[in-house]
Amino acid sequence: MIVIDKSTCVRCGACLRDCVVHVLTKGADGFPSFRREDETFCLNCQHCLAVCAQGAVTCNGVGFAETRAVEPLPDGRAEAALVRQRRSIRQWRDAPIPDDVWTRLVDSLAWMPTGCNDHRLHFTLVRNRAQMEWYRRAVSRKLQALVRTRLPQILFPKFRRYMEEIARGDDVVFRNAPCMIVASTPKNAPCREADPWIALSYFDLLAQANGLGTCWSGFAVHAFKGLRGLRRALRLPRGYEVGTVLLFGIPAVTYARVPQPRPLSVDVQ
Ligand SMILES: Cc1cc2nc3c(=O)[nH]c(=O)nc-3n(C[C@H](O)[C@H](O)[C@H](O)COP(=O)(O)O)c2cc1C
């Protein structure tokens, strides 16, 4: 439900033009008008409210008083450096994440873009050391039993190194990380493949901008998908599946140089 405060609206039409599903139309009096029957088409994206310089729009109960004015953004050069200098971290300091950083990161998860503005992502944040150890040991036990059968070594000779590490008891799945975030989606979400990856990609950059280290774990995704006992510990809402996993904590390594990637395959048309 979108409500227009006619005492402050200047009929500029900015909200109409920025509505992706056209649920706002120009009324006979020139003010934006929201038709009740269009309710189901509204994505609740709040573009109408965000674009209104007068603060005249209330979208599903959220209006001027519930929102903040936009702030200056970091400059493009700093952002590009962040992208280039972000590294996968696998060495960690035994130090807690400062509460203010934790809060900033976790609060930001609500702003991650989702297909059709679905926003039903569920995040499991593991911060407790003992709980992280539980996941580590549960996976390690299973993988060590699997490696002892020698089957993975035959089926996946390219991954022989990992098998040796697993046999030694190394944590190839959670990389000894102190914390982890798992993004899960409802199986019927319109963009269930993309949403979790996008959310944790943003989280990744934000974490590194706040001095944390991060590492994606494709192995953990496979472990959660394949091991029901492990997945159960995530306490996912009914109908949800694991999308992706990012490990994080305070890094115990710094880098002096920026790697030089292979030349890009780009076609500018
Ligand atoms: C989809 C995806 C899955 C990954 N899975 C793992 C993983 O299971 N374990 C790991 O140590 N690193 C994993 N990584 C990290 C890559 O190995 C890493 O990006 C690569 O080593 C390059 O290092 P950089 O991220 O510092 O540039 C993954 C990265 C991506 C994008």
Side-chain angles (χ1 to χ4, degrees), residues 41-56:
F41 300 113
C42 176
L43 298 180
N44 191 32
C45 65
Q46 300 180 9
H47 271 229
C48 48
L49 130 76
V51 79
C52 179
Q54 313 305 317

Side-chain angles (χ1 to χ4, degrees), residues 183-213:
S184 307
T185 38
K187 290 177 189 156
N188 64 359
C191 295
R192 67 194 173 101
E193 300 289 343
D195 291 347
W197 287 98
I198 291 173
L200 294 200
S201 294
Y202 279 46
F203 187 92
D204 178 22
L205 289 178
L206 210 50
Q208 298 226 0
N210 280 275
L212 302 190

Side-chain angles (χ1 to χ4, degrees), residues 54-229:
Q54 313 305 317
V57 181
T58 300
C59 184
N60 295 308
V62 176
F64 182 83
E66 288 74 30
T67 50
R68 279 189 279 193
V70 295
E71 294 172 39
L73 295 177
D75 71 81
R77 278 170 61 117
E79 286 288 297
L82 176 62
V83 169
R84 292 190 187 126
Q85 292 171 212
R86 178 216 60 85
R87 291 275 72 81
S88 296
I89 298 298
R90 301 179 184 92
Q91 302 179 68
W92 313 97
R93 265 175 49 203
D94 186 15
I97 293 172
D99 283 339
D100 61 326
V101 170
W102 180 270
T103 305
R104 194 177 308 136
L105 291 178
V106 176
D107 283 359
S108 300
L109 290 169
W111 275 267
M112 303 311 177
T114 52
C116 300
N117 208 36
D118 186 68
H119 276 294
R120 286 180 295 156
L121 282 166
H122 175 81
F123 298 100
T124 310
L125 282 140
V126 183
R127 185 185 204 180
N128 180 294
R129 289 292 163 99
Q131 184 62 14
M132 203 59 217
E133 278 311 309
W134 184 90
Y135 284 109
R136 227 184 295 285
R137 274 201 292 273
V139 163
S140 190
R141 266 199 309 274
K142 293 277 183 195
L143 287 183
Q144 287 192 327
L146 194 66
V147 166
R148 275 198 295 273
T149 66
R150 317 261 342 138
L151 204 65
Q153 287 88 325
I154 296 165
L155 290 177
F156 310 107
K158 208 176 147 213
F159 292 109
R160 212 187 59 233
R161 278 280 165 90
Y162 287 123
M163 313 301 171
E164 289 165 8
E165 288 176 48
I166 291 165
R168 276 206 306 267
D170 293 354
D171 178 18
V172 301
V173 173
F174 299 114
R175 297 286 180 199
N176 298 311
C179 303
M180 156 172 84
I181 177 166
V182 182
S184 307
T185 38
K187 290 177 189 156
N188 64 359
C191 295
R192 67 194 173 101
E193 300 289 343
D195 291 347
W197 287 98
I198 291 173
L200 294 200
S201 294
Y202 279 46
F203 187 92
D204 178 22
L205 289 178
L206 210 50
Q208 298 226 0
N210 280 275
L212 302 190
T214 58
C215 188
W216 291 100
S217 182
F219 282 147
V221 177
H222 288 298
F224 281 119
K225 285 187 186 289
L227 302 172
R228 184 142 30 113

Side-chain angles (χ1 to χ4, degrees), residues 1-51:
M1 175 73 176
I2 298 169
V3 179
I4 309 293
D5 179 355
K6 291 186 178 176
S7 68
T8 48
C9 174
V10 292
R11 292 183 273 190
C12 66
C15 55
L16 309 180
R17 288 191 296 277
D18 213 45
C19 177
V20 64
V21 286
H22 308 291
V23 296
L24 284 172
T25 51
K26 193 172 182 174
D29 55 3
F31 286 107
S33 148
F34 178 77
R35 294 188 312 161
R36 274 269 177 192
E37 56 268 38
D38 281 345
E39 186 97 57
T40 55
F41 300 113
C42 176
L43 298 180
N44 191 32
C45 65
Q46 300 180 9
H47 271 229
C48 48
L49 130 76
V51 79

